[in-house]
Amino acid sequence: MKPVSLTQFLIEEQRRHHVINADLRLLIEVVARACKRIAIAVGRGALGDVLGEAGTGNVQGEAQKKLDVISNEILLEANAWGGHLAACASEEMADPYPVPDAYPRGNYLLLFDPLDGSGNIDVNISVGTIFSVLRCPEGVAHPAEKDFLQPGTAQVAAGYCVYGPSTLLILTTGHGVNVFTLDREPGSFLLTMRDVRIPEDTSEFAINMSNQRHWEAPMQRYIADLLAGKQGPRGRDFNMRWVASMVADVHRILTRGGIFIYPVDAKTREKGGKLRLMYEANPMAFIVEQAGGAATTGHTRILDVLPQKLHQRVPVFLGSKNEVELATRYHRVADQAGLD
Ligand code: P6P
């Protein structure tokens, strides 16, 4: 059977669901094209001047890798002239980036983490790009931070590109999740997995265990019960994975199930957590829910969180539905008992 390209898929989505209009289709294709360019830059490794530190810092207070800056530039340049966007927001930039006045503006807002997990670049571990699409509020010609502060339920599309052994684009427009694999010769994304479903149960968890001593009591109890295995209350053994690239960990979970957790703890409580709501947690939560999984803060559904700041952080529990609901129950029981 002839493979379906991303372009053909989007046109079919437009016909079938009328969710995608021409501007949103162009937006998604432009982001996909930018991801292809990022994949080339990432793939250059030591052969290109792309590894190591950029010598600059970002709004998160993190040292930027050269590829963080390169990826951010690629996404900004790709989206400047098409007329489909009103503005962008990025993990790498303090403020929203309006489409330059020289170009027409469209009705969408694009948010992205241009290169998530970039700490793994210099050791050749998979990294990725995460993106989220919102509508620009009616009548707003110059979007400001407040125009981006929409709950995750307002997203019209979300996706990520994982730069691994193969380059994959994972996309949802609210009608399921589909996976496209980059065919490097013609340079096109081909549909390789349609309507992905996450297994509702799992025996695999992903967390940075080195933070255990900082966790709140419900987290301590939940993980202790997993580690107790067959002899414990779960009655079965669990496996653990932690790539420290959210995109890689989430893709594994999308493919074979699991639970990914970055809880708030004594180290991150002041900031509200580690991962960013608008361009990490929300797009991943939208994708995971569209694939039959669940995504919470440990207390509430991530997509229902009302954002207060563009770069705000949030605790993240996402993946196999039944496991996320159980982990969340440990926290809700503690809430009700007034325990920490
Ligand atoms: P830690 C990468 O920096 C990131 O934002 C996510 O991609 C990843 O899941 C997490 O942080 C890793 O955090 O504390 O284990 O280095």
Side-chain angles (χ1 to χ4, degrees):
M1 194 168 130
K2 187 173 171 302
V4 174
S5 70
L6 175 65
T7 302
Q8 183 181 347
F9 174 84
L10 291 173
I11 288 170
E12 286 170 2
E13 282 280 282
Q14 193 175 339
R15 282 192 197 121
R16 193 152 44 119
H17 295 305
H18 308 293
V19 159
I20 296 185
N21 60 31
D23 269 2
L24 183 54
R25 179 153 62 82
L26 174 59
L27 194 171
I28 294 168
E29 292 202 278
V30 165
V31 170
R33 232 182 345 266
C35 288
K36 281 190 272 189
R37 288 188 56 203
I38 294 171
I40 292 166
V42 167
R44 293 289 297 153
L47 300 176
D49 181 21
V50 296
L51 296 182
E53 306 295 325
T56 52
N58 64 17
V59 64
Q60 322 289 341
E62 296 161 345
Q64 289 176 303
K65 297 284 188 185
K66 284 181 187 170
L67 275 166
D68 283 322
V69 177
I70 292 166
S71 304
N72 195 60
E73 284 305 316
I74 288 172
L75 280 157
L76 293 180
E77 284 161 19
N79 282 286
W81 43 265
H84 51 282
L85 267 190
C88 295
S90 166
E91 175 182 306
E92 300 303 330
M93 302 185 301
D95 302 313
Y97 178 87
V99 165
D101 290 338
Y103 301 114
R105 291 203 174 136
N107 303 319
Y108 293 105
L109 302 175
L110 176 66
L111 303 93
F112 49 81
D113 179 354
L115 201 65
D116 175 68
S118 56
N120 283 321
I121 274 287
D122 297 347
V123 294
N124 201 39
I125 290 174
S126 299
V127 291
T129 297
I130 310 171
F131 64 92
S132 169
V133 183
L134 296 169
R135 288 187 181 82
C136 185
E138 281 293 316
V140 172
H142 299 276
E145 177 170 341
K146 64 178 174 48
D147 300 306
F148 284 82
L149 301 184
Q150 304 174 37
T153 47
Q155 293 175 98
V156 293
Y160 62 84
C161 198
V162 50
Y163 311 113
S166 55
T167 293
L168 304 180
L169 176 71
I170 285 75
L171 176 70
T172 186
T173 57
H175 292 273
V177 177
N178 293 284
V179 179
F180 301 83
T181 300
L182 179 61
D183 182 348
R184 295 182 196 280
E185 281 180 66
S188 61
F189 279 107
L190 302 180
L191 180 62
T192 45
M193 250 168 130
R194 197 185 273 271
D195 204 15
V196 176
R197 306 301 292 167
I198 301 175
E200 294 196 344
D201 295 297
T202 183
S203 297
E204 194 162 71
F205 67 100
I207 194 166
N208 182 338
M209 285 297 292
S210 71
N211 294 320
Q212 181 171 21
R213 65 188 184 284
H214 303 298
W215 295 339
E216 298 172 342
M219 256 325 284
Q220 299 282 1
R221 280 194 295 277
Y222 170 67
I223 296 294
D225 287 351
L226 298 187
L227 295 175
K230 280 198 184 70
Q231 288 69 36
R234 301 300 303 272
R236 68 178 192 276
D237 292 340
F238 283 75
N239 195 11
M240 197 199 100
R241 290 284 182 275
W242 186 250
V243 184
S245 270
M246 185 184 197
V247 174
D249 280 315
V250 169
H251 190 69
R252 185 190 57 256
I253 289 166
L254 198 74
T255 309
R256 70 184 190 208
I259 181 170
F260 170 97
I261 306 174
Y262 213 110
V264 67
D265 62 26
K267 285 196 310 183
T268 61
R269 185 168 296 118
E270 196 183 323
K271 290 182 179 175
K274 157 112 190 199
L275 301 178
R276 276 63 49 151
L277 173 64
M278 298 303 294
Y279 39 78
E280 289 176 329
N282 268 344
M284 291 307 202
F286 187 18
I287 291 164
V288 164
E289 283 198 7
Q290 282 290 314
T296 75
T297 65
H299 303 272
T300 59
R301 185 183 179 218
I302 284 178
L303 293 182
D304 290 336
V305 174
L306 293 177
Q308 303 304 315
K309 300 290 283 176
L310 183 60
H311 298 293
Q312 84 181 54
R313 299 167 189 258
V314 69
V316 176
F317 294 68
L318 63 77
S320 293
K321 185 170 181 294
N322 295 338
E323 196 60 35
V324 171
E325 287 174 355
L326 176 61
T328 302
R329 216 163 24 251
Y330 275 72
H331 289 74
R332 286 187 176 147
V333 163
D335 290 346
Q336 284 146 17
L339 302 175
D340 166 9

